[in-house]
Amino acid sequence: QVQLVESGGGLVQPGGSLRLSCAPSGNIFSIGAMAWYRQAPGKQRALVAIITVNSSTNYEDSVKGRFTISRDNAKNTVFLQMNSLKPDDTAVYYCNADISRFGGLYRRNYWGQGTQVTVSS
């Protein structure tokens, strides 16, 4: 059974930094694109950043220049380095990945349970 477990969230002051990680586990054969989404209070879940197998990246406009998504394919782990955090970054951050299992014929999309990021003075 495949699981995505996020970590690294917490409370940080404006201008601070956090580093999120997501470590998929289970009967994983291969992982395709990986991404971070977030859902702020009263808003819908939205894409923050995405990274492909060959490390091509795309970012939501509001986080460009502040956030960096990266991956360690050997460890099946994706990271989100968040710098210059703003109160508007407060949200639950979710890991997302396309994963194929042993014996599977194609990749399926999986979600983590989320980690809370709160940016406040």
Side-chain angles (χ1 to χ4, degrees), residues 32-109:
M34 306 183 79
W36 288 96
Y37 289 73
R38 67 185 179 186
Q39 187 165 17
K43 297 183 178 180
Q44 294 185 339
R45 190 174 301 184
L47 177 68
V48 177
I50 188 168
I51 184 167
T52 66
V53 174
N54 63 346
S55 297
S56 177
T57 60
N58 284 288
Y59 297 90
E60 191 270 327
D61 287 341
S62 69
V63 308
K64 286 183 69 69
R66 300 189 298 120
F67 291 9
T68 302
I69 187 171
S70 61
R71 64 190 293 163
D72 184 339
N73 290 333
K75 298 180 179 180
N76 292 332
T77 303
V78 63
F79 305 93
L80 185 67
Q81 179 66 47
M82 304 184 295
N83 299 324
S84 301
L85 283 163
K86 305 174 181 179
D88 286 347
D89 295 319
T90 296
V92 177
Y93 284 71
Y94 297 90
C95 180
N96 181 271
D98 294 324
I99 299 173
S100 63
R101 298 171 294 172
F102 288 105
L105 299 177
Y106 57 90
R107 290 188 172 105
R108 294 183 176 182
N109 190 253

